């Protein structure tokens, strides 16, 4: 058969049509086998094939491969095709190589050589084919060999636009696969200037490349901002007729616009005012255009327009600086909320979620609350409903919390199963965060358990118990509500758990009412006992033994219940042990011992809500970084203590003192923070029980004797305190004060914005102190800056003994003064008074931060406003020593960043200051001058006053 | 029990769909298509479980038959039924093909209604079915006829109607055997067995009772000497013909049958107690018996392969085939299939006898010999050229397989007698013309190389 030269390959066409005509798979395989044998025969090597034949057979192999059969020969022929001068042959060769030759193949060297030749070719078509192949394979070897050729093509003046376009995209691909190999330094400015290119195609592909480069190295490409803005403004202001080929359904260059807007999101708002105004104008124009009537009814038109619009809104949110734009964006999104297009509604809700976190637009978002709630209820698409839930969560604040929580609760009953758990967590968090009235909180959570019990995770009900225990005022209400809720014929196991726990603790508060008398409570709980799992049963057993303490009158019933075989011989070892131990405890121990052992649970130390932690873990992306207000919960002061020690409260069910629970696994980390494996008995518990023993002792030997008033340090602060005080700037532990009678030691721990300060009072005499009272006062502004939760200290301090008092302190905002510790006690009849400054400094809440020089300088420059900086020049108090200075800075809480300052003598540090509402970045530069023994200290921070305070504190160190 | 039955074409389109039980939903049809017919990897197991539903399938050329059930049924029964159904369809309209099924779908539904009742298999005997499922349009039967059919189908001897009359009473008996073999390159038999069938065609008048004697060791021994004379008489009727089929093994008189099964007409109680095979034969063609033997098989052919790889680009293959039976017999349709490597680029074949050709589409050299006498030897040598490949996988060397047909029973099975007793009609055993034929075919007859 004579070969048909030219475009068509007859043999290939025949083969393909044969395959298509095959009736069965077997027939197809037969045909393919035959063809493979034919090609093998042709490629045997003793025949010379012309380019056309090679192309034809390579094509057939390619087709067979794409049908899903293995091809293990013919690679050499394909590589030969690469050196052909004919376009079709080269193209087929490259196609085969990209599809079939792996990056690790032995042939790769040959292929790369061929590519190199083609890249140098004068024919732009050959260059483009080679570029395409590189982009398709993008192996490391290629990147190594071609890392200079491709950038040169990209910026060279004599390459044509189409080649530049491909070169930019090829480079992007290589950059993604092996970014370390591409040295871009020398090309930077020329690549950035591609944004000014005449040809829109080149600009579009260059924009993608530049964005990838910017992600890696923002500083180097900072110049692209102004170019991007001017390019964007030219596109936005142009009429749709200007851009000819690049107008897509009346929208000028939508892809390029979106890319440019994305590019700009890598940088903070431009500093140059002219660029800034130009950008704002652009964004406004885009928002204006959205208002215009559509130029076409086609869906492509609106899609392209909306794509640009949404990206613009993203940029507005990213800049977060222009209230006007933010509000306009919000209004625009508000219109989309009711759009008939589902995707638009979804996107609008998602963007609004981000808008809600900005302080400028939060209020504007709240206007759409009703619409969002309707969306939640009527939307058909579950993913859109999910966004609506997110948005409601984000827009919630104190003013609308009650309504939003109510709506979410109502919706929860019919909500889709896939979003229920998350909704439950969100409701729980909102209810806790914005609770004005704790009865409301208790109501909400109990409702939650009632409506969606299965989806209420452990954390949620732990939390409600913590709060009820910590808040005296809701305990009675909680007991009553729980009791009522339990009366429902079928209630969820979680409800039984909460009920059991709360009634066990506070059942006595409602026992006065005959409708909820002890025996009724017991019967009610016990009616659920058999329907519950072992863990709940264990908890209920603990509740019963607590009842024995609370209501001695029902002890016989409880003992009988414990004695039943069902409990005493329960196959579950945990239940059996509890039953045995409790039964014995109730029959052996006296009422006093019972009262001590089964005392009410102590308040829980407060921490970050574990529910929030769980929600974050569940959906890391969906919780936007809402400044920092989300990170903490705003509970009214009293229980908002803080504890930083890794303390592991006992399992709620466990009784306080050493009623050993055999299950070591049973200890649940109530607060959801990862704890180091702490001993099962948490440290507070033995301490407090030790106390009890002390108290009994002192009561036994009642010694109150004559009292004579001693001299008072009336002048406020006690001497000897001041010098000690300063050393605590860099130290956490040490002796704060000491005189003949008393030694006061401090041990403090810090974690972000939380502090736990332990004060140890050591009685140095051999007589006891009586009426020992110590309080912490926070004068003036300090009251609002710190939230303090003191633990009461015992009134008696034995001779030679040491007592401890713990303060849980939270930093709400920056402060300068230290809180005052007032100590009063009576020693041998004389009242002693001490006023001490508690060594609590702002720098304690600093956390060292590491960053590279680019990031440092970017931030340093961003903090250039006069009030963000504080500079001090002062004489060195101590000899200038590099190592000592380093140690001081590190213990101050800052990091030492190496290789940032060109002068190695200088210290550059960074840190993040945590307080309740925000995180404040602090940058410090300390320049010592050895000749004149002077320092120059520069502190910059995102919040005005902080720089000043830190500078003052630092000054004292050197 | 069978919950439903589907027939698909090769594309997975449903040609016939019949659901007998409610627990099989419509989606079962799709489940089988998606998970078996269109499965990414070829499904080799004939039983597939999808979502607690079992699919039993067999394939005939491009047609898939699948029986579906949710219950724990006897799988062997289901396959027996499916095969029977194929047989029935073949007897009605010939080859099972998509076109035939489409053209006869009314008939197929009619058959299905008859042979499967609420998922329980019913009478699948072709001869009986043909009496009341006809293809001659609608012909209303007389009351007499219908009642006759009813009494016959439901009666004791459902497989034969009364009042059959032939001018010539004839009887054809075929012993069909297929030999399966796997042999090592050194000539050691790794596994071998024979599956045999006895197919009869009877054209006898009245209601004759037949007695059938074979050289099964068990039957012969149990009968012992008491019935020796009877056996001797029986061989008179047959002996002259069957001696031709005596296999080459010679002196052996009885064989050990591993297991056997009979057509429903055989009286099993008599077989158990008296060790004799007696039956009233159906009219026309039917399979009387199936059996299997594994011992003392005389292998008709021996293949001796010799494969030599000369470097990376060449391979030499030499295959010798020896026939191992009486020189007076002729084997037919002998075909040897020698697999070639997947990177074969060219083949030169030389053979003394027959025709050999490299078939690229099957990746094999196919060597055909039309006729071959016993105790002969043929040789083929081939030179295979290989192409360099990027793949370093070694060739797995599939076994050489063979097909043939020989005029004897490789198992040594012999028909000793077949006697016909008909008391009412006026003919005796001697008047019946009896024909017997032995055919040994190849099953999977493979030699490793």
């Amino acid at each position: 058969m004579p070969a048909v030269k030219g475009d068509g390959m007859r043999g290939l066409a025949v083969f393909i049509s044969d395959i298509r005509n095959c009736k069965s798979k077997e027939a197809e395989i037969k045909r393919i086998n035959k063809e493979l044998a034919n090609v093998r025969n042709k490629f045997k090597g003793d025949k010379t094939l012309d380019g056309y034949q090679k192309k034809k057979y390579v094509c057939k192999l390619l087709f067979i491969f794409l049908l899903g059969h293995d091809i293990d020969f013919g690679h050499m022929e394909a590589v030969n095709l690469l050196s052909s001068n004919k376009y079709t042959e080269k193209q087929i060769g490259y196609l085969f190589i990209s599809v079939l030759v792996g990056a690790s193949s032995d042939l790769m060297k040959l292929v790369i050589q061929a590519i190199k030749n083609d890249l140098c070719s004068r024919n732009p078509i050959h260059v483009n084919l080679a570029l395409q192949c590189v982009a398709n394979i993008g192996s490391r070897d290629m990147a190594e060999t071609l890392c200079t050729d491709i950038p040169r093509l990209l910026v060279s003046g004599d390459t044509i636009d189409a080649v530049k376009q491909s070169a930019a995209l090829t480079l992007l691909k290589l950059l993604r696969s092996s970014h370390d190999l591409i040295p871009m330094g020398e090309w930077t400015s020329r690549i950035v200037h591609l944004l000014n290119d005449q040809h829109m195609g080149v600009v579009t592909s260059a924009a993608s490349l530049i964005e990838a480069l910017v992600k890696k190295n923002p500083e180097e490409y900072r110049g692209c901002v102004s170019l991007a803005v001017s390019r964007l403004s030219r596109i936005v202001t142009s009429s749709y007729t200007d851009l000819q080929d690049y107008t897509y359904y009346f929208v000028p260059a939508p892809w390029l616009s979106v890319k440019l807007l994305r590019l700009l999101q890598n940088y903070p708002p431009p500093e140059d005012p002219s660029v800034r105004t130009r950008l704002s104008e652009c964004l406004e124009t885009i928002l204006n255009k959205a208002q215009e009537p559509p130029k076409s009814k086609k869906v492509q038109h609106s899609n392209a327009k909306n794509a640009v619009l949404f990206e613009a809104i993203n940029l507005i949110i990213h800049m977060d600086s222009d209230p006007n734009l933010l509000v306009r964006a919000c209004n625009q999104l508000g219109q989309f909320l009711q759009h008939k297009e589902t995707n638009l509604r979804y996107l609008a809700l998602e963007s609004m979620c981000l808008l809600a976190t900005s302080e400028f637009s939060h209020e504007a978002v709240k206007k759409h609350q009703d619409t969002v709630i309707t969306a939640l209820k009527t939307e058909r698409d579950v993913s859109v409903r999910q966004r609506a839930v997110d948005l409601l969560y984000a827009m919630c604040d104190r003013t609308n919390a009650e309504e939003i929580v109510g709506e979410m609760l109502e919706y929860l009953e019919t909500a889709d199963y896939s979003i229920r758990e998350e909704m439950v967590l969100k409701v729980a968090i909102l209810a806790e965060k914005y609770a004005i009235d704790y009865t409301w909180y208790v109501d909400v959570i109990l409702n939650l358990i009632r409506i969606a019990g299965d989806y209420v995770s452990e954390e949620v009900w732990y939390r409600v118990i913590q709060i009820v225990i910590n808040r005296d005022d809701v305990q009675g209400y909680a007991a009553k509500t729980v009791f009522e809720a339990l009366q429902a014929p079928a209630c969820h196991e979680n409800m039984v758990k909460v009920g059991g726990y709360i009634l066990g603790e506070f059942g006595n508060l409602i026992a006065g009412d005959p409708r909820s008398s002890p025996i009724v409570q017991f019967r009610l709980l016990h009616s659920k006992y058999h329907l519950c799992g072992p863990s709940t049963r264990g908890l209920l057993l603990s509740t019963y033994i607590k009842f024995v303490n609370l209501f001695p009158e029902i002890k016989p019933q409880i003992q009988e219940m414990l004695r039943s075989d069902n409990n005493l011989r329960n196959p579950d070892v945990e239940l059996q042990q509890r039953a045995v131990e409790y039964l014995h405890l109730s029959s052996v121990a006296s009422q006093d011992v019972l009262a001590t052992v089964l005392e009410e649970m102590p308040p829980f130390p407060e921490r970050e809500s574990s529910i929030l932690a769980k929600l974050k873990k569940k959906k890391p992306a969906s919780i936007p970084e809402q400044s920092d207000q989300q990170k903490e919960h705003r509970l009214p002061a009293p229980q908002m203590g803080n504890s930083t020690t890794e303390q592991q409260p006992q399992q709620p069910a466990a009784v306080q003192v050493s009623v050993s629970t055999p299950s070591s696994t049973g200890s649940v980390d109530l607060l959801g923070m990862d704890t180091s494996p702490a001993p099962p008995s948490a440290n507070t518990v033995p301490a407090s029980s030790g106390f009890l023993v002390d108290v009994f002792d002192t009561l036994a030997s009642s010694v109150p004797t004559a009292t004579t008033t001693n001299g008072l340090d009336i002048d406020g602060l006690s001497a000897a305190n001041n010098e000690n005080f300063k050393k605590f700037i860099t130290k956490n532990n040490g002796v704060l004060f000491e005189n003949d009678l008393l030694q006061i030691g401090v041990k403090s721990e810090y974690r972000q914005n939380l502090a736990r300060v332990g004060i140890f009072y050591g009685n140095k005499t051999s007589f006891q102190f009586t009426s020992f009272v110590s309080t912490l006062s926070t004068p003036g502004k300090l009251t609002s800056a710190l939230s303090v939760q003191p633990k009461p200290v015992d009134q008696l301090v034995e001779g030679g003994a040491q007592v401890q008092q713990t303060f849980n302190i939270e930093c709400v905002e920056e402060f300068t003064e230290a809180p005052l510790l007032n100590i009063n006690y009576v020693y041998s009849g004389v009242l002693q008074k001490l006023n001490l400054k508690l060594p609590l400094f702002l720098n304690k809440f600093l956390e060292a931060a590491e960053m590279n020089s680019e990031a440092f300088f970017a931030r340093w420059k961003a903090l250039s406003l006069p009030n963000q900086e504080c500079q001090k020049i002062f004489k060195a108090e101590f000899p200038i020593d590099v190592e000592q200075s380093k140690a001081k800075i590190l213990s101050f809480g800052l990091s030492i960043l190496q290789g940032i300052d060109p002068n190695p003598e200088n210290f550059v540090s960074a840190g993040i200051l945590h307080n309740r509402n925000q995180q404040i970045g602090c940058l410090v530069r300390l320049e010592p001058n050895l000749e004149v023994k002077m320092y120059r200290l520069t502190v910059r921070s995102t919040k005005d006053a902080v720089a000043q305070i830190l500078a003052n504190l630092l000054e004292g160190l050197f | 029990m069978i919950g439903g039955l589907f027939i698909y074409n090769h594309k997975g389109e449903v040609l016939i769909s019949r659901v007998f039980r409610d627990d099989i939903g419509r989606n079962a049809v799709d489940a089988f298509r998606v998970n078996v017919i269109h499965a990414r990897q070829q499904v080799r197991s004939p039983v597939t479980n999808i979502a607690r539903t079992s699919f039993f399938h067999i394939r005939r050329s491009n047609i898939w038959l699948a029986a579906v059930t949710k219950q724990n049924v006897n799988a062997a029964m289901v396959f027996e039924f499916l095969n029977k159904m194929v047989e029935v369809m073949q007897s009605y309209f010939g080859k099972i093909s998509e076109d035939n099924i489409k053209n006869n779908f009314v008939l197929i539904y009619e058959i299905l209604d008859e042979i499967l009742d609420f998922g329980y298999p019913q009478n699948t005997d072709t001869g009986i079915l043909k009496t009341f499922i006809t293809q001659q349009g609608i012909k209303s039967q007389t009351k007499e006829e219908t009642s006759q059919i009813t009494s016959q189908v439901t009666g004791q001897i459902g497989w034969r109607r009364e009042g059959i009359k032939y001018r010539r009473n004839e009887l054809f008996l075929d012993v069909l055997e297929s030999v399966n073999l796997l042999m090592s390159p050194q000539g050691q038999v790794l596994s071998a067995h024979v599956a045999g069938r006895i197919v009869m065609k009877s054209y006898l008048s009245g209601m004759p009772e037949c007695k059938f004697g074979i050289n099964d060791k068990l039957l012969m021994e149990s009968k012992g000497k008491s019935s020796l004379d009877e056996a001797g008489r029986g061989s008179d009727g047959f002996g002259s013909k069957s001696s031709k089929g005596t296999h080459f093994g010679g002196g052996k008189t009885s064989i050990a049958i591993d297991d056997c099964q009979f057509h429903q007409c055989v009286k099993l109680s008599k077989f158990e107690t008296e060790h004799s095979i007696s039956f009233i034969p159906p009219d026309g063609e039917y399979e009387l018996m199936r059996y299997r033997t594994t011992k003392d098989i005389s292998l008709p052919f021996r293949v001796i392969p010799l494969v030599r790889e000369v470097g990376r680009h060449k391979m030499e293959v030499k295959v010798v085939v020896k026939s191992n039976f009486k020189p007076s017999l002729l084997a037919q349709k002998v075909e040897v299939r020698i697999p070639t490597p997947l990177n074969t680029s060219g083949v030169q074949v030389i053979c003394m006898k027959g025709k050999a050709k490299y078939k690229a589409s099957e990746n094999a050299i196919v060597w055909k010999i039309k006729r071959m006498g016993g105790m002969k030897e043929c040789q083929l040598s081939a030179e295979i050229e290989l192409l360099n490949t990027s793949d370093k996988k070694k060739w797995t060397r599939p076994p050489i397989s063979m097909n043939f047909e020989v005029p004897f029973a490789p198992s040594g099975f012999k028909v000793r007698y077949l006697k016909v007793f008909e008391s009412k009609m006026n003919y005796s055993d001697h008047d019946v013309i009896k024909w017997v034929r032995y055919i040994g075919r190849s099953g999977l007859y493979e030699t490793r190389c």
Side-chain angles (χ1 to χ4, degrees), chain A residues 118-136:
Chain A
D118 275 345
L119 283 183
C120 301
S121 156
R122 298 218 140 267
N123 187 344
I125 290 170
H126 293 181
V127 181
N128 252 357
L129 279 176
L131 283 174
Q132 258 174 32
C133 179
V134 174
N136 278 336

Side-chain angles (χ1 to χ4, degrees), chain A residues 22-26 29-31 33-46 70-75 106, chain B residues 10-11 40 42 59 61-62 341-348 358 360-363 385-393:
Chain A
C22 280
K23 280 271 188 286
S24 69
K25 195 142 187 124
E26 289 74 20
I29 288 171
K30 279 191 173 171
R31 181 69 185 90
N33 278 339
K34 194 173 152 199
E35 196 58 46
L36 280 175
N38 176 31
V39 178
R40 278 198 297 263
N41 193 14
K42 289 290 193 295
F43 283 173
K44 226 179 333 188
D46 50 355
D70 279 340
I71 295 296
D72 51 8
F73 64 100
H75 301 69
D106 307 335
Chain B
H10 71 287
K11 289 180 199 149
R40 228 168 248 184
Q42 199 197 342
R59 257 190 98 173
S61 65
N62 279 331
L342 292 177
N343 56 345
T344 306
S345 59
V347 179
Q348 270 93 49
Y358 167 58
S361 58
E362 289 154 44
N363 280 323
E385 285 172 84
L386 302 176
L387 192 76
N388 244 358
T389 63
S390 57
D391 225 5
K392 296 287 179 287
K393 257 190 285 173

Side-chain angles (χ1 to χ4, degrees), chain A residues 395 529 774 788 848:
Chain A
M395 71 160 67
Y529 183 81
S774 80
V788 180

Side-chain angles (χ1 to χ4, degrees), chain A residues 207-264:
Chain A
S208 294
L209 175 64
I210 292 172
E211 207 204 338
L213 289 166
V214 161
K215 283 250 160 65
K216 273 178 50 207
N217 200 347
E219 269 318 300
E220 207 177 327
Y221 290 87
R222 189 165 270 279
C224 70
V225 173
S226 58
L227 288 177
V229 170
S230 65
R231 177 52 93 170
L232 183 66
S233 88
R234 262 181 283 158
I235 297 171
V236 168
T237 51
S238 70
S239 133
Y240 64 85
T241 48
D242 293 355
L243 291 168
Q244 299 289 350
D245 292 347
Y246 287 86
T247 300
Y248 178 78
Y249 288 89
F250 306 108
V251 182
W255 280 277
L256 182 53
S257 312
V258 165
K259 281 180 182 175
L260 290 173
L261 287 165
R262 280 228 181 110
L263 178 62
L264 288 173

